Every structure is written in structure tokens, then in C-alpha cells.
Amino acid sequence: MGLIQKIQVEGAVKLFGRVRALAGASLVVESGEAVAVMGGNGAGKSTLLSLLSLSSKPTRGKLLFNDVPPDEIEQVRGRIGLLAHDAMVYPDLTAKENLHFFAGLLGVSDVERAVQGQVEDQALLDFFDDRPCRVLSRGQLQRVSLARALLAEPDLLLLDEPAAGLDSRAVARIEKAVVDLRERGGMAVVVTHEPEVASRIATRALMLRRGKIVEDGPAPEDVDGWRALYFASQEGPLP
């Protein structure tokens, strides 16, 4: 299908029974952008990511990749990398076994090259093939999960609170992955409660409240602007 250059969400509504998680959300994300998504608990942030990752479908509304619905594009899932709260790796397999498995599943043409590149980029060598993922620390598991998300060089990278509980080196690896992706023409959508992280990677700020996008614009000029935006996203009535 080629490079994903534009993603459109048009009037997306997502219902879970009587709960309305998204209430007519619309946005466009284009090549080279990194969108930081902020909002309080229950604002719809993770639901938005689940739609973009194709893990779920909107109850109403449209999702388009390059102006085409995702179910009409072959292999679109393989062009999306997701780093979620769940590591999404097999706990009884080693990092090596997981990465080789997912590389094959994603149809990576040169599996050894792709896996070795991630071993180096995410500093996995010390625990790569000698222990199952279930015994890894939170930081180690996050690095394996990031490597899995990046194996196929995705066009779209989705990150859900990627810096939570991580040390500065681990956070720096995630930030570098987003910057590198943007530089090669990809795009990222990052749910974060970390204004400092957003200030280093995002080109655009989006605020959700009660399932509605209430602000969508260029990134603030400095970290203080991001902090103000974060605090605004946590409280206050709908406009």
C-alpha cells in the first residue's frame, strides 16, 4: 500500500454499552507529525488509540488511511506500531524468540537485520536470549515492547503513556524513536501525562475531555506551555 501519509478520523463515536467513550471526535494526522494527546481519566485517550491501532472500530464515524477505509487496504496493520500498557509479548518466550516471531508475523523481509537493529537501538543484549519475558523488569519489558512495535519500521507509531515508571535512559530511547520516525516521514500519536516528554517530541497538542476534542493546535513553545496545557486538560467544564 506504500507509505501512510495521512490518517483521518471523521466524527468518531465509540459506545461501550451506555458509556460514550468518544463523542464525535475528528482529526487529521499527516506525515512528519507527532501529536501529543492529553486529558483526564475517562477522557477517551486510550479509546482513540484503540481506533487508530485498528484494535476496535468506531460505533459511528469513519477512519481513513490515505483516504481509504482500513478494511480496503491490505496489510495496513503491519504499518502500525503500538506501545500500550500491556507489553503485548509472550511472557514465556525470550526477547529474542518474541522479536523473531513478530518479525515473521509482520512479514519483515530481513528478519535477522531487523531484530539485530532493535537489539542495538533498545539495548537488549544483556537479557536478549537467556530468560523469559515474564521475569524482566518493567523497564526491560518496555524496551522489548518498543522493539516489537518498531520491527517493521511502521509509518504510524501509537504510544500510550510510554514514559510511565521508566528511567531517563529508557525515556530517551522512546523519544529518539519518535523523532527518527518523523524524520523518515512517519507519524506518531502519543498519549502522555508528561509535559516534559511532550515538549521534546510533539509538533502538535490535542486535548480530549469527556470524549470530545476540545483543543487541537500547534505544540506550545516551551515546557511551561505544555504544563499549562496538561493542567487545563485535567479539569474544567466542557467549552
Side-chain angles (χ1 to χ4, degrees), residues 19-85:
V19 177
R20 187 175 60 174
L22 286 178
S26 297
L27 71 149
V28 177
V29 186
E30 298 189 275
S31 176
E33 288 193 302
V35 182
V37 181
M38 292 184 172
N41 292 335
K45 306 182 301 295
S46 293
T47 301
L48 177 62
L49 282 197
S50 75
L51 297 187
L52 293 174
S53 69
L54 306 183
S55 300
S56 66
K57 295 182 178 181
T59 306
R60 296 193 296 273
K62 292 182 180 180
L63 175 62
L64 303 172
F65 291 78
N66 295 347
D67 299 318
V68 181
D71 56 1
E72 295 180 15
I73 306 175
E74 292 184 5
Q75 300 178 338
V76 67
R77 290 181 187 273
R79 307 310 308 147
I80 302 170
L82 173 64
L83 184 65
H85 293 292

Side-chain angles (χ1 to χ4, degrees), residues 94-122:
T94 65
K96 178 180 180 179
E97 291 166 336
N98 267 290
L99 293 187
H100 276 82
F101 171 77
F102 283 106
L105 193 66
L106 291 166
V108 174
S109 57
D110 190 339
V111 171
E112 290 298 333
R113 178 178 173 275
V115 170
Q116 188 56 40
Q118 289 306 314
V119 170
E120 295 171 2
D121 288 350
Q122 312 310 330

Side-chain angles (χ1 to χ4, degrees), residues 14 47 68 72 79 86-87 90 115 183 192 200 204:
K14 183 65 178 179
T47 301
V68 181
E72 295 180 15
R79 307 310 308 147
D86 184 353
Y90 289 98
V115 170
E183 289 179 348
T192 182
R200 291 190 290 266
R204 185 168 147 205

